[in-house]
């Protein structure tokens, strides 16, 4: 996947700008609040996902304008394609190769990308929810069935929790818990197997990248922490035994769930452990090590996506160089091969060790190739 050109009109602080990145490393260099992250956000919008800033489309319109437009031309393994994405106060319009799409989710898988932004550190530093989101998003790009099962699981979970939140309803519908538990067990078991399989494939890729970051002086590992299954229990084959164990776990905690007024066990409470040199990165990792973990996960995700699908996602790294020593910066600039990479950077000295690629200066929403 190679971006041939990007054109922006009235997007954030950018009145009009265009970018034609090279197939390798591309540095977007400039001070803060000049428009570097806006460029990244515009590219990410074309994946069909919500802004990684959590912004609404109405917030992406340049002040004084009525709508924004993003036009992306990219080449996959077969042909040149074009996405035209317009958003405004009145209506959204998305065209893929000239054909209208009803909603952004229809772009999923058309233009794959992997993004790291400063909030990506939440994967390491914050609670389990961020790590579950990482898993859910990464697996859904590869396995559409996973997203379907996840939506079904969340719908059933909400029904069960709605009863638990209301003591009167809890008594009235007590005899329906077995029905909800059976559905949660079937769906939760399937989701657990998807996650375990993905992590089994992701760990060696991420560990290799982290090793490169540290000059192989540090080791990186991860593991799936299920609230239902034991760490040593193999999660490989969907079976009645695994479903029954999941259902029994829900039954065993039913009284606790009534007191807590929520479902306390299941894939919605599971976690992903991240360790450096055998110690939890969240508690014992330095800021540079934590950043390295988060970036290694994203780069590992990109490598795994390419290995499974044969298509190469574009890599977007926003403000990734800060808090990294020279060796780790050098790895990002010179060792990520076979991918098109866009990197935002404030300090020009960080680019001096770059062996090949392109540098673009971004100032007041204007882009110029250096």
């Amino acid at each position: 996947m190679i971006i041939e050109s990007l054109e922006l009109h009235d997007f954030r602080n950018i009145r009009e700008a265009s970018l034609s990145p090279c197939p390798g490393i591309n540095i977007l260099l400039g001070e803060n609040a000049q428009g570097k992250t806006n460029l990244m956000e515009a590219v990410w919008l074309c994946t069909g996902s919500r802004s990684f800033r959590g912004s609404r489309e109405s917030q992406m319109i340049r002040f004084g304008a009525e709508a924004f437009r993003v036009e992306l031309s990219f080449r996959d393994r077969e042909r040149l394609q074009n996405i035209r994405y317009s958003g405004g106060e009145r209506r959204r319009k998305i065209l893929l190769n000239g054909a209208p799409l009803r909603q952004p989710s229809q772009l999923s898988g058309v233009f794959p990308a992997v993004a790291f932004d400063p909030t990506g550190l939440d994967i390491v530093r914050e609670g389990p929810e961020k790590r579950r989101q990482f898993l859910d998003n990464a697996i859904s790009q590869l396995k559409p069935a996973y997203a379907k099962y996840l939506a079904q699981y969340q719908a059933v979970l909400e029904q069960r929790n709605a009863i638990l939140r209301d003591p009167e309803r809890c008594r009235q519908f007590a005899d329906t818990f077995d029905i909800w538990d059976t559905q949660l067990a079937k769906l939760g078991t399937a989701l657990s197997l998807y996650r375990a399989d993905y992590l089994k494939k992701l760990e060696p890729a991420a560990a290799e990248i982290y090793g490169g970051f540290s000059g192989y002086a540090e080791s990186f590992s991860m593991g799936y922490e299920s609230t239902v299954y034991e760490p040593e229990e193999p999660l490989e084959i969907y079976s009645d035994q695994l479903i029954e164990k999941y259902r029994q776990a829900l039954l065993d905690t039913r009284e606790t769930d009534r007191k807590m007024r929520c479902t306390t066990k299941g894939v919605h409470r599971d976690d992903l452990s991240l360790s450096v040199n055998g110690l939890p990165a969240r508690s014992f990792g330095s800021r540079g090590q934590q950043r390295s973990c988060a970036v290694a996960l994203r780069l590992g995700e990109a490598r795994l996506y390419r290995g499974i699908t044969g298509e190469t996602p574009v890599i977007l790294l926003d403000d990734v160089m800060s808090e990294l020593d020279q060796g780790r910066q050098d790895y990002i600039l010179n060792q990520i091969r076979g991918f098109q990479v866009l990197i935002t950077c404030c300090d020009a000295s960080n680019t001096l060790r770059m062996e090949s690629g392109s540098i673009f200066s971004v100032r007041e929403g204007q882009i110029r190739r250096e």
Side-chain angles (χ1 to χ4, degrees):
M1 196 68 62
I2 299 294
I3 297 173
E4 297 282 350
S5 66
L6 173 70
E7 294 186 7
L8 304 182
H9 299 269
D10 293 325
F11 188 86
R12 296 284 190 180
N13 72 327
I14 301 173
R15 180 187 296 274
E16 188 171 338
S18 62
L19 175 70
S20 296
C22 75
I25 301 293
N26 296 270
I27 301 293
L28 305 178
L29 181 64
E31 299 295 329
N32 291 325
Q34 300 302 303
K36 305 186 303 295
T37 300
N38 297 341
L39 289 166
M40 298 288 218
E41 183 180 32
V43 174
W44 183 251
L45 202 63
C46 293
T47 66
S49 301
R50 289 192 60 191
S51 164
F52 49 69
R53 288 167 158 172
S55 303
R56 298 188 302 272
E57 287 185 10
S58 60
Q59 298 173 299
M60 302 177 194
I61 306 169
R62 187 177 63 83
F63 182 75
E66 294 184 355
F68 70 80
R69 187 173 83 249
V70 175
E71 188 161 353
L72 182 74
S73 294
F74 63 98
R75 188 175 298 278
D76 59 20
R77 290 180 298 170
E78 299 177 353
R79 57 174 176 158
L80 182 67
Q81 299 202 64
N82 178 271
I83 295 172
R84 187 183 178 101
Y85 197 125
S86 301
E89 296 290 351
R90 295 181 181 177
R91 59 174 295 185
R92 171 197 295 141
K93 186 176 181 181
I94 306 172
L95 300 177
L96 174 60
N97 301 323
L101 302 180
R102 294 189 306 275
Q103 52 192 2
S105 60
Q106 291 180 277
L107 289 172
S108 180
V110 175
F111 174 72
V114 170
F116 171 89
D117 71 296
T119 64
L121 288 170
D122 293 346
I123 296 176
V124 182
R125 297 176 180 173
E126 300 298 325
E129 182 180 1
K130 296 295 183 181
R131 291 181 283 279
R132 288 194 297 269
Q133 288 177 356
F134 163 74
L135 282 176
D136 293 341
N137 292 336
I139 301 172
S140 293
Q141 285 199 74
L142 285 170
K143 305 286 186 179
Y146 180 87
K148 177 183 176 182
Y149 293 146
L150 182 62
Q152 292 174 349
Y153 181 91
Q154 290 171 337
V156 176
L157 179 66
E158 178 55 35
Q159 291 290 334
R160 189 179 194 270
N161 283 343
I163 297 173
L164 290 169
R165 285 193 295 267
D166 188 334
E168 182 59 34
R169 290 186 68 194
C170 196
R171 287 189 293 269
Q172 184 180 357
F173 294 100
D175 57 343
T176 67
F177 273 104
D178 288 341
I179 299 173
W180 302 123
D181 289 359
T182 298
Q183 293 185 54
L184 283 181
K186 291 179 178 179
L187 293 165
T189 299
L191 294 172
S192 297
L193 266 62
Y194 271 111
R195 287 179 176 178
D197 178 68
Y198 183 79
L199 290 177
K200 183 179 179 181
K201 295 171 180 174
L202 177 63
E203 182 177 31
E208 172 65 23
I209 292 167
Y210 189 95
F213 275 153
S214 66
Y216 299 96
E218 300 170 1
S219 63
F220 171 80
S221 60
M222 64 175 69
Y224 185 41
E225 296 185 347
S226 171
T227 55
V228 173
Y229 303 110
E230 300 299 326
E232 65 276 4
E233 191 158 10
L235 297 178
E236 298 173 351
I237 301 174
Y238 189 73
S239 67
D240 291 339
Q241 289 81 3
L242 291 178
I243 295 171
E244 177 57 26
K245 184 162 187 176
Y246 200 113
R247 192 194 66 80
Q248 188 62 46
L250 293 171
L251 178 61
D252 291 343
T253 57
R254 191 174 293 178
E255 287 305 316
T256 301
D257 293 350
R258 285 195 175 101
K259 295 176 183 177
M260 300 294 293
R261 299 190 179 185
C262 65
T263 305
T264 57
K265 281 196 175 183
V267 292
H268 60 288
R269 291 295 186 99
D270 292 352
D271 199 357
L272 167 64
S273 64
L274 304 171
S275 301
V276 175
N277 295 332
L279 296 175
R282 180 185 182 188
S283 303
F284 297 97
S286 67
R287 294 180 67 87
Q289 287 174 326
Q290 291 176 341
R291 183 173 289 261
S292 297
C293 288
V295 176
L297 284 175
R298 292 302 186 188
L299 297 183
E301 177 188 354
R303 185 178 292 183
L304 183 56
Y305 188 96
R306 180 177 63 182
I308 293 176
T309 68
E311 196 63 79
T312 303
V314 172
I315 297 175
L316 310 174
L317 302 177
D318 185 29
D319 191 26
V320 72
M321 306 292 273
S322 60
E323 299 179 348
L324 295 181
D325 57 35
Q326 290 187 3
R328 297 172 202 258
Q329 291 182 4
D330 180 76
Y331 185 93
I332 290 174
L333 291 172
N334 301 310
Q335 301 302 319
I336 305 176
R337 299 190 175 97
F339 293 91
Q340 186 180 51
V341 187
L342 274 63
I343 304 173
T344 65
C345 184
C346 293
D347 188 351
S349 65
N350 289 337
T351 68
L352 298 177
R353 292 181 300 279
M354 188 170 71
E355 297 172 1
S356 63
S358 297
I359 299 177
F360 301 86
S361 65
V362 182
R363 184 175 181 181
E364 296 181 350
Q366 299 297 310
I367 307 169
R368 182 169 62 90
R369 183 186 292 270
E370 294 292 329

